[in-house]
Amino acid sequence: VEIVYDNFQMKKSQDGRLHLSNKHLTNLQSDTLYHLALNTSTHNFEQMFGDIKFVCMGGTKKRMYEFAQLATKELNIMESKLVDITESSHRFSMFKIGPILSISHGMGISSISILLHEILKLLHYAKCTNVTLFRIGTSGGIGVEPGTVVITNKVVDELLRPFHELHILGKIVRRPATFDQKLIEELGQIARLQNNPGYKTIIGTTMCAMDFYESQSRIDGAICNHNLDDKMDRLTKLKKAGIINIEMEALAFGSMCRYVNVDAAIICVTMVNRLDGDQIQLTKQEYHELQKRPQKLAIDFIKKRLAII
Ligand code: R2B
Ligand code: URA
């Protein structure tokens, strides 16, 4: 099978607009963003989304609804009612709070890459400028206290390779997944200014897995052929390789945002220390408290940026 290394990256445009890397789109009379239940001929994208500066995505609808609520409160934005703009798609959920779009992305690369194709097109059609994308999510930590917040500065796959591998037209296509280090530094700085939050925020390497169970070396799935020693060896190896946390979307998020050259960062809280076990055993209240931590950092960043604009 042919292997293609696709290192292409769009040039940043002078006007801050987001440009796509697909010449075919100009031939479309109208474009249906199927999983968002939006269409360029029936919706006025510029009017609906033209002022978007921040897109925050996370796994679940509930979390992204809560993020929308938090944004409304923290930024003093009067929204009479938060409506799920994409409710009729029955796939993702999307809320708009002033210059912020809060969207659920489901689980795994397949799900988030569908969303990203459509969100990047939305931002392009809406002629948005200088947009920053965030994934504010959950992850499993390796050797860090549950509740630690991790800002991803590097992502690797299950074989510790730093690219997103796709199969296109019967070929293996490898696209680098990288993150803007300046943005990461800025986030790190904002985290350091947070007043005694009672948890750590660290910058480090994330492993992106295709599955929650066997690919993450868990031994509590429905199928498992390795034993506890194998698991511990593997996790220790990952730790030695500098991996702080494991999640399931970073490669697609990193490679797609890099490709079209839009600023993007991943902030995840760890729900479990994998060196202590596989199962996530948090009370509802603990879970709720933990998942707010990446949201808080994203909001602090947005506040800082909005103060400058
Ligand atoms: C983190 O949590 C989900 C699995 O529980 C997955 O979407 C991820 O990346
Ligand atoms: N999400 C993951 O992908 N892995 C974990 O261990 C926790 C959340």
Side-chain angles (χ1 to χ4, degrees):
V1 182
E2 192 183 334
I3 300 174
V4 180
Y5 287 90
D6 181 6
N7 291 331
F8 179 79
Q9 184 176 35
M10 298 287 292
K11 288 215 163 56
K12 272 240 193 268
S13 67
Q14 291 287 324
D15 55 6
R17 290 258 296 276
L18 195 156
H19 295 290
L20 304 174
S21 178
N22 181 0
K23 62 176 189 288
H24 305 288
L25 291 177
T26 46
N27 298 333
L28 290 179
Q29 290 277 324
S30 68
D31 193 355
T32 302
L33 308 187
Y34 174 58
H35 306 85
L36 298 180
L38 293 168
N39 179 291
T40 51
S41 64
T42 51
H43 298 86
N44 184 336
F45 280 38
E46 274 187 76
Q47 207 172 67
M48 288 176 80
F49 304 110
D51 61 339
I52 296 289
K53 298 285 176 208
F54 310 96
V55 178
C56 300
M57 41 185 83
T60 71
K61 171 178 179 167
K62 182 158 182 279
R63 202 188 311 142
M64 298 326 288
Y65 178 74
E66 284 170 2
F67 180 73
Q69 280 183 317
L70 182 72
T72 314
K73 195 175 117 218
E74 292 282 323
L75 303 175
N76 270 323
I77 294 172
M78 296 301 262
E79 291 283 347
S80 50
K81 192 170 170 265
L82 285 168
V83 276
D84 179 354
I85 302 169
T86 183
E87 190 175 19
S88 65
S89 76
H90 301 290
R91 294 287 182 188
F92 304 110
S93 286
M94 175 159 79
F95 306 94
K96 184 176 179 300
I97 319 95
I100 307 171
L101 211 50
S102 176
I103 322 165
S104 66
H105 62 56
M107 281 187 284
I109 283 180
S110 315
S111 183
I112 200 172
S113 71
I114 295 170
L115 179 74
L116 277 168
H117 275 286
E118 296 182 12
I119 283 297
L120 294 173
K121 291 204 288 181
L122 180 154
L123 297 170
H124 171 72
Y125 293 140
K127 300 193 167 66
C128 297
T129 54
N130 303 318
V131 182
T132 306
L133 271 70
F134 289 103
R135 171 170 132 68
I136 40 178
T138 59
S139 62
I142 307 179
V144 292
E145 180 89 4
T148 303
V149 173
V150 183
I151 305 167
T152 301
N153 66 355
K154 187 175 165 212
V155 56
V156 292
D157 72 359
E158 294 145 335
L159 303 176
L160 307 190
R161 305 173 304 177
F163 44 74
H164 178 203
E165 190 168 279
L166 299 99
H167 300 159
I168 304 173
L169 300 183
K171 294 177 192 163
I172 293 171
V173 178
R174 292 177 178 161
R175 293 185 181 149
T178 56
F179 297 93
D180 181 52
Q181 299 299 310
K182 254 171 62 193
L183 175 57
I184 292 163
E185 269 313 309
E186 189 177 346
L187 287 167
Q189 232 166 39
I190 294 169
R192 280 192 288 278
L193 291 175
Q194 285 175 344
N195 224 346
N196 280 329
Y199 55 88
K200 279 196 185 138
T201 299
I202 48 184
I203 296 174
T205 305
T206 296
M207 185 180 108
C208 178
M210 293 296 171
D211 147 61
F212 184 81
Y213 288 97
E214 292 172 275
S215 298
Q216 297 192 22
S217 318
R218 280 190 160 81
I219 54 171
D220 62 343
I223 299 168
C224 178
N225 277 322
H226 54 266
N227 57 37
L228 179 63
D229 284 345
D230 301 328
K231 176 185 109 173
M232 294 314 290
D233 280 355
R234 169 73 178 163
L235 291 175
T236 309
K237 236 187 222 150
L238 295 182
K239 188 170 155 54
K240 279 203 186 120
I243 293 163
I244 312 280
N245 66 338
I246 310 177
E247 50 81 272
M248 296 176 60
E249 293 83 16
L251 280 173
F253 185 83
S255 80
M256 291 180 74
C257 293
R258 179 196 167 276
Y259 210 92
V260 299
N261 211 341
V262 62
D263 288 346
I266 301 182
I267 310 165
C268 282
V269 66
T270 61
M271 312 300 275
V272 57
N273 177 1
R274 290 298 316 287
L275 299 182
D276 294 339
D278 291 341
Q279 304 230 322
I280 297 171
Q281 284 161 325
L282 301 167
T283 63
K284 220 176 156 177
Q285 202 183 356
E286 284 168 333
Y287 176 86
H288 200 75
E289 158 59 26
L290 259 54
Q291 58 141 31
K292 279 200 297 211
R293 295 178 180 179
Q295 300 190 3
K296 169 102 179 58
L297 184 51
I299 288 284
D300 285 354
F301 175 90
I302 291 170
K303 275 184 176 170
K304 182 176 167 228
R305 279 287 165 100
L306 289 177
I308 295 168
I309 289 170

